[in-house]
Amino acid sequence: AGIRVPYVPCLSLYISARYKPTKPDMLFFRSSLPGASPFLRVLRLIEAENEAARGSSGVNIDTMTKSMTFSEMASYRSIAMLPHIPNALRLSDMYCIGIPLFIPDEPMIHKFIWPDDPLPL
């Protein structure tokens, strides 16, 4: 009863880049979500607090401002991102590369993806 649409998982088989950190930095993946700017501000506050506690420069957060190759992304120590949908392709791509990812967990991620949702989680 009905049409069964085949499910094809995104495996990112087209990516040959692999995690090879050469930069001591975190890359903040660009995002057009309204909450991206405050989220980056919180990351920078955490960065400053860690730097003050250690007394030395720790992780610097680079913001992606232009297109980058997968190899360029793989050179960062980690990536922080706010996916615009729960199954964002960039999430699968970065997972395939093997780079450590930092994304908000539930229920916070839902508030970034659907900020105007009147139903509480």
Side-chain angles (χ1 to χ4, degrees):
I3 298 172
R4 292 184 66 86
V5 178
Y7 170 70
V8 180
C10 179
L11 301 175
S12 301
L13 298 176
Y14 48 87
I15 297 177
S16 61
R18 294 293 172 254
Y19 181 54
K20 199 180 280 188
T22 58
K23 299 178 182 180
D25 299 313
M26 173 185 281
L27 177 65
F28 182 71
F29 219 96
R30 65 179 164 208
S31 174
S32 60
L33 290 174
S37 182
F39 184 71
L40 179 59
R41 202 170 312 132
V42 168
L43 288 177
R44 292 205 187 281
L45 287 171
I46 294 169
E47 173 189 18
E49 185 176 304
N50 285 337
E51 187 174 321
R54 278 192 237 133
S56 66
S57 175
V59 174
N60 293 317
I61 301 172
D62 287 348
T63 306
M64 181 187 278
T65 56
K66 61 179 179 64
S67 295
M68 300 175 82
T69 66
F70 290 123
S71 295
E72 288 174 315
M73 292 179 215
S75 69
Y76 282 87
R77 194 164 80 181
S78 62
I79 289 186
M81 71 168 60
L82 284 174
H84 60 288
I85 56 173
N87 59 342
L89 184 57
R90 66 180 93 171
L91 193 57
S92 299
D93 292 344
M94 296 303 105
Y95 188 78
C96 178
I97 290 172
I99 192 164
L101 293 169
F102 295 94
I103 58 172
D105 196 5
E106 291 181 302
M108 185 181 188
I109 188 66
H110 296 287
K111 292 301 177 186
F112 283 107
I113 295 174
W114 300 290
D116 299 323
D117 186 359
L119 300 174
L121 295 175

